[in-house]
Every structure is written in C-alpha cells, then in structure tokens.
Amino acid sequence: MAELTNMARGSRNIAISSTSESRNLAFAIYREAEQSPVMQGIDPQAERRRAILRKVIAEQGDNLTAWSRDAGVNESTVRSFLEGRSNSMTAKTYEKLARARPGLTVAYLIGEEHTKRTVAVAGYVGAGDRVFTFDGDTMDGALEEIDIDIDPGEPVEAVIVRGNSQYPSLFDRDIIVYRRDPVPPDTLIGKQCVVRLADGRTLVKTIRRGSAPGFWNLESFNAPPEEDVVIERAVPVRIIVRG
C-alpha cells in the first residue's frame, strides 16, 4: 500500500513539474511576443514623425526646450511623444511648432510634404519594353527634363513611354523613374527594373531567376519572357508617373 502511495505521489509530482514547465514556457513565449512592435503598440506613422522632429532639432542646432517655448506649446507634450509615451500630437501643436521655425511646414513635420525636383530624361521606352536612350545629337540634341515629387537626395533618372504597346501596364507618356546606381540582380527578383543586357539592349522588365547562377529570366506584360539572359546592369524602377 505504501508503495502504491509513493508511486501516486511520484506521478503527481511529475504532472505538477510538467504543468509548471508548460506554464514557464508559455510565459516566456508571451514575454517574447510582448516585445514585438505589434504587442507594444508601435505606430509606424508616429515613429516616422518622431524621426522628423529629431532631425529638425539636430539640423537646426536646436533643443526641445527652446523650440517648445518659442512655439508656445507644452514641452512635456512634445517630449512625451518623442519618448514614445504617447503616439500622437494635435494638429494645433504641429502648427505652432512649424510657425516657430523658419522654413518648416506642418506637411513636412507630419511626413506628408513632397519635394519637387528636376530629373533628367535619359530616353524613351518603345515597343517590346525596349529603352532607347538619348545619345549626343541623335535625339534632337539635348536631354529633356521633368519636375516630379521625389526625395531630393535620391539619385534617379527617367524614361518616357512612347505609344501603347505596353498597355495596360504602361501608357503613352508615362514617366518611369528609376534609380541611377546599379544593384545586383539577385536583390531585385520579382521587381520591375531597367536592365541593360550583354547584347546591348536596354529593357524595362521584371527580373526572375534563370536556370543557372548568372543567368536571368525577364518578364513583361505584353511580350513573351526572355530566358537565361546575361544582365550587365540593373536598376530598380522607383515610381511610375502617369502621363
């Protein structure tokens, strides 16, 4: 009888230990999840606005106390937002902060201001998604330029679509803006790019992996895929401005 009692106690201890371990594991998983942005309630828009405020303070050699005082806002309100204790500030607070420093706008402070800049047009896109570049005097002598809304620090060029051979993905007079600096093709899988091939052609295509390393398949809407081509240069399309 004593033996049975001891066995029962042992089983109970194992069960308790197992339950305890399960609870500890569940608690550890919860604590780990608790640190994630979703569980912490991190708002990407708020984080972007905090970064802008910090940038303004750094660029103007300012400090929060002086800025808040000049704006006539409560410093603790702005500090609470910057330190993540709150996720928003009122429109009135942004208005006062913008007025207190020259050159600032509310749109800039909340991350919604677009900056016009002049971008060189390097050529045009014709049939088969082929890019024809301006070269010296071959295209009436000079490069075109366009004004678009884009980050002023981003190195970009553009090509203009001629005709509707790429309909419905591209239309006549659409402007394709792309980064000027080349990027390794294996980082651009599934992305629309301007690519220059070993055979001399420049195309607007989506890059896919080929049958072997160093070879690539190219896709577009109205043309059959090109398989196992060699890419000399690839740059990602940044934006398409509808004509």
PDB file of all heavy atoms in Angstrom, residues 182-219:
ATOM      1  N   PRO A 182      23.503  51.153 -60.134  1.00  0.00           N
ATOM      2  CA  PRO A 182      23.173  49.742 -60.366  1.00  0.00           C
ATOM      3  C   PRO A 182      23.115  48.937 -59.076  1.00  0.00           C
ATOM      4  O   PRO A 182      23.777  49.265 -58.086  1.00  0.00           O
ATOM      5  CB  PRO A 182      24.309  49.252 -61.275  1.00  0.00           C
ATOM      6  CG  PRO A 182      25.440  50.196 -61.029  1.00  0.00           C
ATOM      7  CD  PRO A 182      24.818  51.521 -60.699  1.00  0.00           C
ATOM      8  N   VAL A 183      22.312  47.872 -59.114  1.00  0.00           N
ATOM      9  CA  VAL A 183      22.091  46.998 -57.960  1.00  0.00           C
ATOM     10  C   VAL A 183      22.275  45.556 -58.433  1.00  0.00           C
ATOM     11  O   VAL A 183      21.909  45.222 -59.568  1.00  0.00           O
ATOM     12  CB  VAL A 183      20.656  47.198 -57.403  1.00  0.00           C
ATOM     13  CG1 VAL A 183      20.394  46.255 -56.242  1.00  0.00           C
ATOM     14  CG2 VAL A 183      20.448  48.644 -56.975  1.00  0.00           C
ATOM     15  N   PRO A 184      22.848  44.666 -57.613  1.00  0.00           N
ATOM     16  CA  PRO A 184      22.989  43.258 -58.015  1.00  0.00           C
ATOM     17  C   PRO A 184      21.626  42.651 -58.376  1.00  0.00           C
ATOM     18  O   PRO A 184      20.665  42.802 -57.610  1.00  0.00           O
ATOM     19  CB  PRO A 184      23.585  42.581 -56.781  1.00  0.00           C
ATOM     20  CG  PRO A 184      24.294  43.689 -56.061  1.00  0.00           C
ATOM     21  CD  PRO A 184      23.468  44.917 -56.297  1.00  0.00           C
ATOM     22  N   PRO A 185      21.513  41.978 -59.531  1.00  0.00           N
ATOM     23  CA  PRO A 185      20.219  41.428 -59.954  1.00  0.00           C
ATOM     24  C   PRO A 185      19.574  40.486 -58.952  1.00  0.00           C
ATOM     25  O   PRO A 185      18.349  40.423 -58.852  1.00  0.00           O
ATOM     26  CB  PRO A 185      20.567  40.691 -61.267  1.00  0.00           C
ATOM     27  CG  PRO A 185      21.785  41.377 -61.777  1.00  0.00           C
ATOM     28  CD  PRO A 185      22.566  41.772 -60.553  1.00  0.00           C
ATOM     29  N   ASP A 186      20.399  39.753 -58.179  1.00  0.00           N
ATOM     30  CA  ASP A 186      19.795  38.793 -57.240  1.00  0.00           C
ATOM     31  C   ASP A 186      19.067  39.469 -56.084  1.00  0.00           C
ATOM     32  O   ASP A 186      18.346  38.811 -55.335  1.00  0.00           O
ATOM     33  CB  ASP A 186      20.836  37.807 -56.721  1.00  0.00           C
ATOM     34  CG  ASP A 186      21.985  38.476 -55.971  1.00  0.00           C
ATOM     35  OD1 ASP A 186      22.045  39.731 -55.974  1.00  0.00           O
ATOM     36  OD2 ASP A 186      22.814  37.766 -55.396  1.00  0.00           O
ATOM     37  N   THR A 187      19.226  40.782 -55.935  1.00  0.00           N
ATOM     38  CA  THR A 187      18.471  41.518 -54.917  1.00  0.00           C
ATOM     39  C   THR A 187      17.207  42.133 -55.497  1.00  0.00           C
ATOM     40  O   THR A 187      16.459  42.807 -54.789  1.00  0.00           O
ATOM     41  CB  THR A 187      19.331  42.645 -54.300  1.00  0.00           C
ATOM     42  OG1 THR A 187      19.610  43.642 -55.296  1.00  0.00           O
ATOM     43  CG2 THR A 187      20.640  42.091 -53.753  1.00  0.00           C
ATOM     44  N   LEU A 188      16.975  41.901 -56.791  1.00  0.00           N
ATOM     45  CA  LEU A 188      15.849  42.540 -57.476  1.00  0.00           C
ATOM     46  C   LEU A 188      14.849  41.524 -58.025  1.00  0.00           C
ATOM     47  O   LEU A 188      14.042  41.850 -58.896  1.00  0.00           O
ATOM     48  CB  LEU A 188      16.373  43.415 -58.632  1.00  0.00           C
ATOM     49  CG  LEU A 188      17.289  44.579 -58.219  1.00  0.00           C
ATOM     50  CD1 LEU A 188      17.901  45.229 -59.450  1.00  0.00           C
ATOM     51  CD2 LEU A 188      16.516  45.609 -57.402  1.00  0.00           C
ATOM     52  N   ILE A 189      14.872  40.307 -57.513  1.00  0.00           N
ATOM     53  CA  ILE A 189      13.975  39.262 -58.008  1.00  0.00           C
ATOM     54  C   ILE A 189      12.523  39.671 -57.795  1.00  0.00           C
ATOM     55  O   ILE A 189      12.123  40.062 -56.693  1.00  0.00           O
ATOM     56  CB  ILE A 189      14.249  37.916 -57.302  1.00  0.00           C
ATOM     57  CG1 ILE A 189      15.715  37.501 -57.480  1.00  0.00           C
ATOM     58  CG2 ILE A 189      13.311  36.831 -57.823  1.00  0.00           C
ATOM     59  CD1 ILE A 189      16.142  37.356 -58.916  1.00  0.00           C
ATOM     60  N   GLY A 190      11.728  39.594 -58.868  1.00  0.00           N
ATOM     61  CA  GLY A 190      10.307  39.934 -58.776  1.00  0.00           C
ATOM     62  C   GLY A 190      10.022  41.408 -58.875  1.00  0.00           C
ATOM     63  O   GLY A 190       8.868  41.822 -58.747  1.00  0.00           O
ATOM     64  N   LYS A 191      11.061  42.231 -59.111  1.00  0.00           N
ATOM     65  CA  LYS A 191      10.868  43.678 -59.179  1.00  0.00           C
ATOM     66  C   LYS A 191      11.018  44.183 -60.613  1.00  0.00           C
ATOM     67  O   LYS A 191      11.807  43.654 -61.395  1.00  0.00           O
ATOM     68  CB  LYS A 191      11.864  44.391 -58.261  1.00  0.00           C
ATOM     69  CG  LYS A 191      11.660  44.063 -56.800  1.00  0.00           C
ATOM     70  CD  LYS A 191      12.630  44.822 -55.924  1.00  0.00           C
ATOM     71  CE  LYS A 191      12.395  44.498 -54.444  1.00  0.00           C
ATOM     72  NZ  LYS A 191      13.347  45.220 -53.573  1.00  0.00           N
ATOM     73  N   GLN A 192      10.259  45.231 -60.917  1.00  0.00           N
ATOM     74  CA  GLN A 192      10.353  45.863 -62.231  1.00  0.00           C
ATOM     75  C   GLN A 192      11.612  46.720 -62.258  1.00  0.00           C
ATOM     76  O   GLN A 192      11.850  47.527 -61.361  1.00  0.00           O
ATOM     77  CB  GLN A 192       9.118  46.708 -62.500  1.00  0.00           C
ATOM     78  CG  GLN A 192       9.006  47.192 -63.939  1.00  0.00           C
ATOM     79  CD  GLN A 192       7.703  47.927 -64.193  1.00  0.00           C
ATOM     80  OE1 GLN A 192       7.215  48.640 -63.325  1.00  0.00           O
ATOM     81  NE2 GLN A 192       7.136  47.761 -65.370  1.00  0.00           N
ATOM     82  N   CYS A 193      12.414  46.530 -63.314  1.00  0.00           N
ATOM     83  CA  CYS A 193      13.711  47.198 -63.382  1.00  0.00           C
ATOM     84  C   CYS A 193      13.990  47.674 -64.800  1.00  0.00           C
ATOM     85  O   CYS A 193      13.364  47.235 -65.775  1.00  0.00           O
ATOM     86  CB  CYS A 193      14.834  46.233 -62.975  1.00  0.00           C
ATOM     87  SG  CYS A 193      14.664  45.568 -61.307  1.00  0.00           S
ATOM     88  N   VAL A 194      14.954  48.578 -64.900  1.00  0.00           N
ATOM     89  CA  VAL A 194      15.553  48.906 -66.187  1.00  0.00           C
ATOM     90  C   VAL A 194      16.853  48.119 -66.243  1.00  0.00           C
ATOM     91  O   VAL A 194      17.724  48.276 -65.377  1.00  0.00           O
ATOM     92  CB  VAL A 194      15.826  50.421 -66.317  1.00  0.00           C
ATOM     93  CG1 VAL A 194      16.530  50.728 -67.637  1.00  0.00           C
ATOM     94  CG2 VAL A 194      14.519  51.208 -66.222  1.00  0.00           C
ATOM     95  N   VAL A 195      16.966  47.228 -67.229  1.00  0.00           N
ATOM     96  CA  VAL A 195      18.129  46.341 -67.310  1.00  0.00           C
ATOM     97  C   VAL A 195      18.849  46.532 -68.636  1.00  0.00           C
ATOM     98  O   VAL A 195      18.227  46.706 -69.685  1.00  0.00           O
ATOM     99  CB  VAL A 195      17.720  44.852 -67.152  1.00  0.00           C
ATOM    100  CG1 VAL A 195      17.131  44.597 -65.780  1.00  0.00           C
ATOM    101  CG2 VAL A 195      16.725  44.420 -68.225  1.00  0.00           C
ATOM    102  N   ARG A 196      20.160  46.514 -68.572  1.00  0.00           N
ATOM    103  CA  ARG A 196      20.970  46.509 -69.788  1.00  0.00           C
ATOM    104  C   ARG A 196      21.574  45.127 -69.940  1.00  0.00           C
ATOM    105  O   ARG A 196      22.207  44.607 -69.008  1.00  0.00           O
ATOM    106  CB  ARG A 196      22.077  47.564 -69.731  1.00  0.00           C
ATOM    107  CG  ARG A 196      22.853  47.664 -71.067  1.00  0.00           C
ATOM    108  CD  ARG A 196      23.783  48.848 -71.072  1.00  0.00           C
ATOM    109  NE  ARG A 196      24.845  48.671 -70.089  1.00  0.00           N
ATOM    110  CZ  ARG A 196      25.421  49.665 -69.431  1.00  0.00           C
ATOM    111  NH1 ARG A 196      25.016  50.914 -69.625  1.00  0.00           N
ATOM    112  NH2 ARG A 196      26.385  49.429 -68.556  1.00  0.00           N
ATOM    113  N   LEU A 197      21.387  44.526 -71.129  1.00  0.00           N
ATOM    114  CA  LEU A 197      21.821  43.160 -71.358  1.00  0.00           C
ATOM    115  C   LEU A 197      23.180  43.127 -72.051  1.00  0.00           C
ATOM    116  O   LEU A 197      23.648  44.128 -72.609  1.00  0.00           O
ATOM    117  CB  LEU A 197      20.787  42.422 -72.212  1.00  0.00           C
ATOM    118  CG  LEU A 197      19.344  42.432 -71.688  1.00  0.00           C
ATOM    119  CD1 LEU A 197      18.451  41.579 -72.582  1.00  0.00           C
ATOM    120  CD2 LEU A 197      19.281  41.952 -70.242  1.00  0.00           C
ATOM    121  N   ALA A 198      23.780  41.939 -72.043  1.00  0.00           N
ATOM    122  CA  ALA A 198      25.086  41.757 -72.674  1.00  0.00           C
ATOM    123  C   ALA A 198      25.021  41.990 -74.179  1.00  0.00           C
ATOM    124  O   ALA A 198      26.036  42.337 -74.802  1.00  0.00           O
ATOM    125  CB  ALA A 198      25.610  40.353 -72.379  1.00  0.00           C
ATOM    126  N   ASP A 199      23.829  41.831 -74.782  1.00  0.00           N
ATOM    127  CA  ASP A 199      23.708  42.046 -76.231  1.00  0.00           C
ATOM    128  C   ASP A 199      23.500  43.517 -76.592  1.00  0.00           C
ATOM    129  O   ASP A 199      23.289  43.870 -77.746  1.00  0.00           O
ATOM    130  CB  ASP A 199      22.577  41.195 -76.821  1.00  0.00           C
ATOM    131  CG  ASP A 199      21.200  41.557 -76.258  1.00  0.00           C
ATOM    132  OD1 ASP A 199      21.068  42.609 -75.608  1.00  0.00           O
ATOM    133  OD2 ASP A 199      20.249  40.775 -76.471  1.00  0.00           O
ATOM    134  N   GLY A 200      23.533  44.404 -75.576  1.00  0.00           N
ATOM    135  CA  GLY A 200      23.451  45.842 -75.835  1.00  0.00           C
ATOM    136  C   GLY A 200      22.069  46.446 -75.655  1.00  0.00           C
ATOM    137  O   GLY A 200      21.935  47.666 -75.618  1.00  0.00           O
ATOM    138  N   ARG A 201      21.029  45.623 -75.541  1.00  0.00           N
ATOM    139  CA  ARG A 201      19.679  46.157 -75.385  1.00  0.00           C
ATOM    140  C   ARG A 201      19.444  46.629 -73.950  1.00  0.00           C
ATOM    141  O   ARG A 201      19.989  46.072 -73.008  1.00  0.00           O
ATOM    142  CB  ARG A 201      18.637  45.098 -75.737  1.00  0.00           C
ATOM    143  CG  ARG A 201      18.576  44.734 -77.203  1.00  0.00           C
ATOM    144  CD  ARG A 201      17.532  43.632 -77.428  1.00  0.00           C
ATOM    145  NE  ARG A 201      17.871  42.419 -76.702  1.00  0.00           N
ATOM    146  CZ  ARG A 201      16.988  41.539 -76.245  1.00  0.00           C
ATOM    147  NH1 ARG A 201      15.688  41.740 -76.432  1.00  0.00           N
ATOM    148  NH2 ARG A 201      17.387  40.456 -75.600  1.00  0.00           N
ATOM    149  N   THR A 202      18.618  47.655 -73.823  1.00  0.00           N
ATOM    150  CA  THR A 202      18.151  48.117 -72.514  1.00  0.00           C
ATOM    151  C   THR A 202      16.640  47.980 -72.489  1.00  0.00           C
ATOM    152  O   THR A 202      15.955  48.449 -73.399  1.00  0.00           O
ATOM    153  CB  THR A 202      18.554  49.580 -72.259  1.00  0.00           C
ATOM    154  OG1 THR A 202      19.984  49.685 -72.307  1.00  0.00           O
ATOM    155  CG2 THR A 202      18.076  50.039 -70.894  1.00  0.00           C
ATOM    156  N   LEU A 203      16.110  47.318 -71.451  1.00  0.00           N
ATOM    157  CA  LEU A 203      14.694  46.969 -71.402  1.00  0.00           C
ATOM    158  C   LEU A 203      14.106  47.325 -70.040  1.00  0.00           C
ATOM    159  O   LEU A 203      14.818  47.433 -69.044  1.00  0.00           O
ATOM    160  CB  LEU A 203      14.504  45.462 -71.643  1.00  0.00           C
ATOM    161  CG  LEU A 203      15.153  44.859 -72.887  1.00  0.00           C
ATOM    162  CD1 LEU A 203      15.120  43.347 -72.811  1.00  0.00           C
ATOM    163  CD2 LEU A 203      14.448  45.349 -74.147  1.00  0.00           C
ATOM    164  N   VAL A 204      12.783  47.468 -70.023  1.00  0.00           N
ATOM    165  CA  VAL A 204      12.040  47.579 -68.770  1.00  0.00           C
ATOM    166  C   VAL A 204      11.365  46.240 -68.533  1.00  0.00           C
ATOM    167  O   VAL A 204      10.432  45.874 -69.257  1.00  0.00           O
ATOM    168  CB  VAL A 204      11.001  48.712 -68.814  1.00  0.00           C
ATOM    169  CG1 VAL A 204      10.239  48.778 -67.491  1.00  0.00           C
ATOM    170  CG2 VAL A 204      11.669  50.053 -69.099  1.00  0.00           C
ATOM    171  N   LYS A 205      11.845  45.488 -67.547  1.00  0.00           N
ATOM    172  CA  LYS A 205      11.366  44.123 -67.333  1.00  0.00           C
ATOM    173  C   LYS A 205      11.336  43.786 -65.845  1.00  0.00           C
ATOM    174  O   LYS A 205      11.970  44.457 -65.023  1.00  0.00           O
ATOM    175  CB  LYS A 205      12.295  43.119 -68.033  1.00  0.00           C
ATOM    176  CG  LYS A 205      12.373  43.246 -69.547  1.00  0.00           C
ATOM    177  CD  LYS A 205      11.156  42.657 -70.240  1.00  0.00           C
ATOM    178  CE  LYS A 205      11.310  42.669 -71.745  1.00  0.00           C
ATOM    179  NZ  LYS A 205      10.147  42.055 -72.431  1.00  0.00           N
ATOM    180  N   THR A 206      10.624  42.707 -65.527  1.00  0.00           N
ATOM    181  CA  THR A 206      10.655  42.140 -64.180  1.00  0.00           C
ATOM    182  C   THR A 206      11.662  41.003 -64.173  1.00  0.00           C
ATOM    183  O   THR A 206      11.637  40.136 -65.065  1.00  0.00           O
ATOM    184  CB  THR A 206       9.262  41.623 -63.770  1.00  0.00           C
ATOM    185  OG1 THR A 206       8.345  42.717 -63.754  1.00  0.00           O
ATOM    186  CG2 THR A 206       9.308  40.987 -62.386  1.00  0.00           C
ATOM    187  N   ILE A 207      12.559  41.005 -63.196  1.00  0.00           N
ATOM    188  CA  ILE A 207      13.638  40.014 -63.148  1.00  0.00           C
ATOM    189  C   ILE A 207      13.207  38.759 -62.399  1.00  0.00           C
ATOM    190  O   ILE A 207      12.618  38.833 -61.320  1.00  0.00           O
ATOM    191  CB  ILE A 207      14.890  40.617 -62.471  1.00  0.00           C
ATOM    192  CG1 ILE A 207      15.408  41.819 -63.273  1.00  0.00           C
ATOM    193  CG2 ILE A 207      15.983  39.566 -62.302  1.00  0.00           C
ATOM    194  CD1 ILE A 207      16.590  42.511 -62.628  1.00  0.00           C
ATOM    195  N   ARG A 208      13.513  37.600 -63.008  1.00  0.00           N
ATOM    196  CA  ARG A 208      13.319  36.301 -62.356  1.00  0.00           C
ATOM    197  C   ARG A 208      14.624  35.517 -62.447  1.00  0.00           C
ATOM    198  O   ARG A 208      15.470  35.806 -63.290  1.00  0.00           O
ATOM    199  CB  ARG A 208      12.204  35.498 -63.055  1.00  0.00           C
ATOM    200  CG  ARG A 208      10.872  36.206 -63.171  1.00  0.00           C
ATOM    201  CD  ARG A 208      10.178  36.344 -61.842  1.00  0.00           C
ATOM    202  NE  ARG A 208       8.859  36.956 -61.988  1.00  0.00           N
ATOM    203  CZ  ARG A 208       8.103  37.353 -60.979  1.00  0.00           C
ATOM    204  NH1 ARG A 208       8.533  37.204 -59.732  1.00  0.00           N
ATOM    205  NH2 ARG A 208       6.930  37.916 -61.190  1.00  0.00           N
ATOM    206  N   ARG A 209      14.781  34.520 -61.599  1.00  0.00           N
ATOM    207  CA  ARG A 209      15.987  33.690 -61.654  1.00  0.00           C
ATOM    208  C   ARG A 209      15.981  32.825 -62.911  1.00  0.00           C
ATOM    209  O   ARG A 209      14.940  32.319 -63.324  1.00  0.00           O
ATOM    210  CB  ARG A 209      16.085  32.797 -60.418  1.00  0.00           C
ATOM    211  CG  ARG A 209      16.286  33.583 -59.132  1.00  0.00           C
ATOM    212  CD  ARG A 209      16.672  32.674 -57.974  1.00  0.00           C
ATOM    213  NE  ARG A 209      16.705  33.415 -56.714  1.00  0.00           N
ATOM    214  CZ  ARG A 209      17.723  34.165 -56.318  1.00  0.00           C
ATOM    215  NH1 ARG A 209      18.798  34.248 -57.083  1.00  0.00           N
ATOM    216  NH2 ARG A 209      17.673  34.812 -55.172  1.00  0.00           N
ATOM    217  N   GLY A 210      17.176  32.636 -63.500  1.00  0.00           N
ATOM    218  CA  GLY A 210      17.316  31.776 -64.658  1.00  0.00           C
ATOM    219  C   GLY A 210      17.648  30.349 -64.261  1.00  0.00           C
ATOM    220  O   GLY A 210      17.524  29.966 -63.097  1.00  0.00           O
ATOM    221  N   SER A 211      18.131  29.572 -65.244  1.00  0.00           N
ATOM    222  CA  SER A 211      18.373  28.149 -65.000  1.00  0.00           C
ATOM    223  C   SER A 211      19.679  27.886 -64.261  1.00  0.00           C
ATOM    224  O   SER A 211      19.904  26.783 -63.766  1.00  0.00           O
ATOM    225  CB  SER A 211      18.387  27.391 -66.335  1.00  0.00           C
ATOM    226  OG  SER A 211      19.438  27.874 -67.170  1.00  0.00           O
ATOM    227  N   ALA A 212      20.543  28.901 -64.188  1.00  0.00           N
ATOM    228  CA  ALA A 212      21.819  28.731 -63.515  1.00  0.00           C
ATOM    229  C   ALA A 212      22.285  30.087 -62.986  1.00  0.00           C
ATOM    230  O   ALA A 212      21.815  31.136 -63.458  1.00  0.00           O
ATOM    231  CB  ALA A 212      22.858  28.146 -64.476  1.00  0.00           C
ATOM    232  N   PRO A 213      23.181  30.103 -62.010  1.00  0.00           N
ATOM    233  CA  PRO A 213      23.691  31.374 -61.494  1.00  0.00           C
ATOM    234  C   PRO A 213      24.266  32.246 -62.609  1.00  0.00           C
ATOM    235  O   PRO A 213      24.977  31.757 -63.488  1.00  0.00           O
ATOM    236  CB  PRO A 213      24.781  30.938 -60.503  1.00  0.00           C
ATOM    237  CG  PRO A 213      24.378  29.565 -60.079  1.00  0.00           C
ATOM    238  CD  PRO A 213      23.741  28.942 -61.282  1.00  0.00           C
ATOM    239  N   GLY A 214      23.962  33.535 -62.572  1.00  0.00           N
ATOM    240  CA  GLY A 214      24.458  34.451 -63.591  1.00  0.00           C
ATOM    241  C   GLY A 214      23.546  34.597 -64.786  1.00  0.00           C
ATOM    242  O   GLY A 214      23.801  35.424 -65.666  1.00  0.00           O
ATOM    243  N   PHE A 215      22.481  33.802 -64.827  1.00  0.00           N
ATOM    244  CA  PHE A 215      21.501  33.891 -65.917  1.00  0.00           C
ATOM    245  C   PHE A 215      20.146  34.281 -65.328  1.00  0.00           C
ATOM    246  O   PHE A 215      19.787  33.843 -64.227  1.00  0.00           O
ATOM    247  CB  PHE A 215      21.378  32.564 -66.672  1.00  0.00           C
ATOM    248  CG  PHE A 215      22.622  32.208 -67.446  1.00  0.00           C
ATOM    249  CD1 PHE A 215      23.629  31.456 -66.852  1.00  0.00           C
ATOM    250  CD2 PHE A 215      22.792  32.645 -68.752  1.00  0.00           C
ATOM    251  CE1 PHE A 215      24.788  31.130 -67.550  1.00  0.00           C
ATOM    252  CE2 PHE A 215      23.941  32.326 -69.458  1.00  0.00           C
ATOM    253  CZ  PHE A 215      24.944  31.566 -68.857  1.00  0.00           C
ATOM    254  N   TRP A 216      19.393  35.070 -66.093  1.00  0.00           N
ATOM    255  CA  TRP A 216      18.157  35.637 -65.569  1.00  0.00           C
ATOM    256  C   TRP A 216      17.044  35.555 -66.595  1.00  0.00           C
ATOM    257  O   TRP A 216      17.291  35.623 -67.805  1.00  0.00           O
ATOM    258  CB  TRP A 216      18.376  37.107 -65.179  1.00  0.00           C
ATOM    259  CG  TRP A 216      19.588  37.278 -64.339  1.00  0.00           C
ATOM    260  CD1 TRP A 216      20.841  37.628 -64.760  1.00  0.00           C
ATOM    261  CD2 TRP A 216      19.697  37.046 -62.932  1.00  0.00           C
ATOM    262  NE1 TRP A 216      21.720  37.638 -63.713  1.00  0.00           N
ATOM    263  CE2 TRP A 216      21.050  37.294 -62.576  1.00  0.00           C
ATOM    264  CE3 TRP A 216      18.788  36.672 -61.945  1.00  0.00           C
ATOM    265  CZ2 TRP A 216      21.509  37.162 -61.274  1.00  0.00           C
ATOM    266  CZ3 TRP A 216      19.249  36.548 -60.651  1.00  0.00           C
ATOM    267  CH2 TRP A 216      20.578  36.789 -60.321  1.00  0.00           C
ATOM    268  N   ASN A 217      15.830  35.375 -66.108  1.00  0.00           N
ATOM    269  CA  ASN A 217      14.651  35.431 -66.968  1.00  0.00           C
ATOM    270  C   ASN A 217      13.998  36.796 -66.801  1.00  0.00           C
ATOM    271  O   ASN A 217      13.944  37.333 -65.690  1.00  0.00           O
ATOM    272  CB  ASN A 217      13.654  34.330 -66.603  1.00  0.00           C
ATOM    273  CG  ASN A 217      14.225  32.934 -66.833  1.00  0.00           C
ATOM    274  OD1 ASN A 217      15.194  32.766 -67.567  1.00  0.00           O
ATOM    275  ND2 ASN A 217      13.622  31.937 -66.215  1.00  0.00           N
ATOM    276  N   LEU A 218      13.492  37.329 -67.895  1.00  0.00           N
ATOM    277  CA  LEU A 218      12.872  38.651 -67.881  1.00  0.00           C
ATOM    278  C   LEU A 218      11.428  38.549 -68.330  1.00  0.00           C
ATOM    279  O   LEU A 218      11.121  37.897 -69.337  1.00  0.00           O
ATOM    280  CB  LEU A 218      13.640  39.615 -68.806  1.00  0.00           C
ATOM    281  CG  LEU A 218      15.133  39.791 -68.509  1.00  0.00           C
ATOM    282  CD1 LEU A 218      15.757  40.726 -69.534  1.00  0.00           C
ATOM    283  CD2 LEU A 218      15.356  40.308 -67.099  1.00  0.00           C
ATOM    284  N   GLU A 219      10.529  39.207 -67.592  1.00  0.00           N
ATOM    285  CA  GLU A 219       9.108  39.156 -67.896  1.00  0.00           C
ATOM    286  C   GLU A 219       8.537  40.553 -68.062  1.00  0.00           C
ATOM    287  O   GLU A 219       9.004  41.505 -67.444  1.00  0.00           O
ATOM    288  CB  GLU A 219       8.339  38.442 -66.775  1.00  0.00           C
ATOM    289  CG  GLU A 219       8.719  36.995 -66.581  1.00  0.00           C
ATOM    290  CD  GLU A 219       7.977  36.357 -65.418  1.00  0.00           C
ATOM    291  OE1 GLU A 219       7.277  37.094 -64.678  1.00  0.00           O
ATOM    292  OE2 GLU A 219       8.094  35.136 -65.230  1.00  0.00           O
TER     293      GLU A 219
END
